[in-house]
Each structure stands twice: as structure tokens, then as C-alpha cells.
Amino acid sequence: MNLFDQVSEDIKDAMRNKEKIRLEALRGMKKEFIEAKTAKGAHDELSDETAIQILQKMAKQRRDSADIYQTQGRPELAEKELEEVAVIEKYLPKQLTQDELDTKITEI
């Protein structure tokens, strides 16, 4: 199952379980996926690689927004953004820790 289909199924689960933050994040992800699929030259296809790039961009945007909200004294909005980042990151590949990265570099 590709990421687009997985997100679509998870939206249904989030609606059944009444998970508001998760549902908002998933709907945002699906919106971005649909826009990428219907973009000029996409031929109504979305590869998992493209979907991962979109998710990375979305996570970065939300982290940046959370930082701005924190500096402006709006912790409740920052918390919401960070909760959405947590949902998005579940669909991204696991990132290497600094120690793992150093080990891989040494091996190479």
C-alpha cells in the first residue's frame, strides 16, 4: 500500500476514533498529495519518494511555525503544530541518530 492509500485509510480511522489533531494533520497531508497528483506533468501519479518529500516539507513548515508561536508567547498554538509534526513523522522513514550516522560514515 502506498502512502496516499495509507493516509486515506488512516483518515477513516481517525474519524472513527474522534482524534481531532491527527485528523487535521492527515487531511492536510492528503490535500498536499492530491495537489501533487494533479499538478501539471504528474499524470495523476504520486510516487512514495515524492510523498516523502512533501511530508518532510510539511514537517519543517510546522516546526518553523511552532518556533514562531513560541517566540510570540503562544504556546498553545506551538503545541498544536508540534502534535501535527508527530503525526507526519510517523509516515517518514526513521532518521539516523548522530552515532549511527558517524558509524556509517566511518564504514564508508
Side-chain angles (χ1 to χ4, degrees):
M1 180 179 298
N2 64 24
L3 278 173
F4 182 81
D5 295 334
Q6 182 65 45
V7 168
S8 296
E9 288 299 313
D10 290 346
I11 286 174
K12 294 174 191 174
D13 290 338
M15 288 190 317
R16 282 186 211 116
N17 298 330
K18 296 179 173 63
E19 299 170 303
K20 184 180 175 187
I21 298 291
R22 183 171 176 239
L23 182 59
E24 283 183 40
L26 291 169
R27 283 182 173 161
M29 291 163 55
K30 187 170 182 179
K31 173 191 156 293
E32 293 291 331
F33 289 168
I34 290 172
E35 286 178 5
K37 283 177 75 169
T38 59
K40 193 172 189 174
H43 306 294
D44 200 35
E45 293 181 15
L46 180 70
S47 68
D48 279 349
E49 293 81 21
T50 304
I52 288 172
Q53 290 174 348
I54 292 169
L55 293 178
Q56 288 171 335
K57 178 182 173 188
M58 290 177 68
K60 183 183 181 317
Q61 288 172 336
R62 280 166 179 70
R63 277 191 219 99
D64 292 345
S65 295
D67 289 341
I68 291 169
Y69 288 140
Q70 286 287 37
T71 59
Q72 293 179 347
R74 303 290 306 266
E76 69 283 354
L77 295 175
E79 182 180 330
K80 179 184 175 288
E81 293 291 328
L82 293 174
E83 288 174 1
E84 286 190 21
V85 168
V87 172
I88 293 168
E89 286 179 341
K90 290 179 183 176
Y91 296 89
L92 292 171
K94 180 184 172 285
Q95 300 292 316
L96 294 176
T97 64
Q98 188 62 40
D99 293 336
E100 293 170 335
L101 184 61
D102 291 341
T103 303
K104 294 285 184 188
I105 292 172
T106 305
E107 288 175 9
I108 294 172

